C-alpha cells in the first residue's frame, strides 16, 4: 500500500529530470511464517522476506540509509554498477548492530537485479532471509504489462545445510489456494530471481504455454522462448508471456523434490 511504502521511500526530481530515490532499510531479527503453522527464525530487511523491492530508472540516483537493528553484523550488497566503497562485501564494510551506513550510487545497468547481505558466513546470512529485488527500468520504458516479482527461495528449518521448505516469495504453496489472477490477452511480466541457498540450481516451469526469457533483463530482445528456465543462485531473468486460454495454469520448480516441498502455484 502507498502509505506503507511512504514509510521507507521518497523521491525528489533532479534538474536533469532523473530522480533521487531515497530508501530506509533496516535489518531486524524476526520469526516469519513459511507454511501454515511453521515459523522460521529469520534475519530480515524491514521485517519481511524478501525485503522491499528497490526500484529505479536507469540514471536515477539511489540512496539507501541502512540501519542494523539485528543482533549480528550485516551489510547490503547491490548487484549492478557502484564504487567499491559502496560494495558492502569488502573487508571492514560490515555494519555493526546499532550502526547506520548510507549506500549511494547511480542506477545502472537496466535489468532485474538483487540486493543481499554480504557478511560472512555468507551462506547463512543470505539463507536466513537478507535479500530482495532491485529493479532498474530502462529510460525507454518496457511495454505495459501486469508485473510481479517472484523470488525463488528455500529454508533450512533444522539447520543441517539442506532445505526442508521451498517457495516462490517465501510461503510454501501460497499460490495454490490463492492463485495469481491474470487476464487472457494481457501481457504478463515476471521479475524472476533465484536466491535459493544449499542447492546448485532452481527452476521455473509453466504449464500449458511458453514464455520469452530476458536473462538479467539487460537486453531488449529475448534470448529464449521456452517453458522451463534454470537459474543458479544470484541469477535472474525477466519472463514475459500472454495467456491464451482461461483456466488454471500450474507453475513450479521442475526439480520434483522442490515442487513437492512447497515450490508450486497457479495462475
Amino acid at each position: 500500500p502507498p502509505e506503507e511504502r511512504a514509510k521507507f521511500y521518497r523521491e525528489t526530481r533532479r534538474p536533469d529530470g532523473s530522480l533521487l530515490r531515497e530508501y530506509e532499510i533496516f535489518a531486524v531479527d524476526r520469526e516469519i511464517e513459511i507454511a501454515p503453522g511453521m515459523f522460521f527464525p529469520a534475519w530480515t530487511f524491514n521485517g519481511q522476506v524478501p525485503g522491499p523491492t528497490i526500484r529505479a530508472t536507469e540514471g536515477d540516483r539511489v540512496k539507501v540509509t541502512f540501519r542494523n537493528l539485528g543482533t549480528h553484523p550485516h551489510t547490503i550488497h547491490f548487484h549492478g554498477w557502484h564504487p567499491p566503497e559502496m560494495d558492502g562485501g569488502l573487508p571492514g564494510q560490515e555494519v555493526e548492530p546499532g550502526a547506520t551506513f548510507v549506500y549511494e550510487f547511480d542506477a545502472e545497468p537496466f535489468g532485474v537485479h538483487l540486493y543481499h547481505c554480504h557478511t560472512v558466513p555468507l551462506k547463512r546470512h543470505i539463507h536466513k532471509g537478507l535479500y530482495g529485488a532491485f529493479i532498474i527500468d530502462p529510460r525507454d520504458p518496457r511495454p505495459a504489462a501486469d508485473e510481479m516479482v517472484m523470488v525463488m527461495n528455500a529454508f533450512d528449518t533444522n539447520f543441517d545445510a539442506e532445505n526442508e521448505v521451498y517457495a516462490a516469495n517465501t510461503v510454501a504453496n501460497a499460490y495454490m489456494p490463492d492463485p495469481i489472477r491474470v487476464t487472457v490477452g494481457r501481457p504478463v511480466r515476471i521479475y524472476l530471481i533465484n536466491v535459493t541457498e544449499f542447492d546448485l540450481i532452481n527452476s521455473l516451469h509453466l504449464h500449458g504455454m511458453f514464455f520469452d526469457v530476458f536473462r538479467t533483463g539487460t537486453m531488449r530482445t529475448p534470448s529464449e522462448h521456452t517453458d522451463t528456465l534454470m537459474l543458479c543462485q544470484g541469477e535472474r531473468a525477466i519472463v514475459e508471456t500472454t495467456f491464451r486460454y482461461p483456466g488454471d495454469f500450474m507453475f513450479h520448480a521442475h526439480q520434483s523434490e522442490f515442487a513437492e516441498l512447497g515450490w508450486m502455484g497457479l495462475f
Side-chain angles (χ1 to χ4, degrees):
E3 62 274 12
E4 286 295 318
R5 190 167 186 250
K7 293 179 182 178
F8 68 87
Y9 173 74
R10 67 179 179 182
E11 60 186 45
T12 306
R13 183 72 60 181
R14 302 199 294 175
D16 65 357
S18 66
L19 294 178
L20 168 64
R21 298 180 185 264
E22 299 180 80
Y23 288 86
E24 302 280 341
I25 301 291
F26 59 89
V28 64
D29 302 5
R30 180 172 179 242
E31 278 203 339
I32 60 171
E33 193 168 15
I34 60 174
M38 180 180 290
F39 291 86
F40 180 79
W43 297 341
T44 74
F45 287 128
N46 289 21
Q48 63 185 64
V49 179
T53 295
I54 294 176
R55 191 163 191 171
T57 299
E58 185 182 21
D60 285 349
R61 189 75 170 175
V62 177
K63 183 177 180 180
V64 177
T65 300
F66 173 57
R67 292 180 293 143
N68 186 359
L69 306 181
T71 54
H72 296 75
H74 297 304
T75 68
I76 303 180
H77 169 66
F78 294 88
H79 286 228
W81 287 99
H82 53 249
E85 59 267 24
M86 295 291 123
D87 190 68
L90 297 174
Q93 293 185 338
E94 296 84 0
V95 180
E96 297 296 327
T100 298
F101 185 82
V102 178
Y103 298 93
E104 188 169 354
F105 50 87
D106 292 329
E108 58 179 328
F110 70 79
V112 54
H113 310 309
L114 70 154
Y115 68 92
H116 58 84
C117 183
H118 210 294
T119 303
V120 295
L122 186 57
K123 63 184 178 182
R124 186 57 66 190
H125 282 250
I126 291 179
H127 164 258
K128 289 272 279 183
L130 290 170
Y131 47 78
F134 176 34
I135 298 170
I136 301 178
D137 295 307
R139 289 187 180 94
D140 178 20
R142 302 182 194 277
D146 290 339
E147 296 188 331
M148 70 169 294
V149 172
M150 189 178 291
V151 176
M152 302 188 294
N153 55 355
F155 298 93
D156 171 17
T157 57
N158 60 7
F159 300 100
D160 64 351
E162 293 186 4
N163 295 310
E164 284 73 46
V165 175
Y166 292 81
N169 298 337
T170 297
V171 180
N173 295 314
Y175 303 113
M176 290 299 289
D178 186 18
I180 300 166
R181 298 190 177 275
V182 295
T183 302
V184 170
R186 183 184 297 170
V188 173
R189 179 176 299 123
I190 301 169
Y191 295 94
L192 181 69
I193 301 171
N194 180 27
V195 289
T196 310
E197 191 57 85
F198 307 127
D199 290 289
L200 294 177
I201 58 170
N202 204 334
S203 61
L204 168 69
H205 171 57
L206 185 55
H207 282 208
M209 57 196 304
F210 268 51
F211 49 77
D212 289 330
V213 177
F214 302 80
R215 283 190 173 266
T216 320
T218 49
M219 303 293 286
R220 299 300 293 263
T221 54
S223 58
E224 298 175 59
H225 188 63
T226 184
D227 65 355
T228 304
L229 177 62
M230 180 175 67
L231 298 174
C232 184
Q233 190 198 58
E235 283 193 305
R236 59 270 186 201
I238 293 175
V239 171
E240 294 185 355
T241 193
T242 301
F243 288 74
R244 295 180 181 179
Y245 311 107
D248 291 340
F249 290 82
M250 182 175 285
F251 65 94
H252 57 81
H254 218 292
Q255 293 95 320
S256 299
E257 178 189 11
F258 297 6
E260 290 168 357
L261 292 174
W263 180 182
M264 183 176 290
L266 294 173
F267 281 103

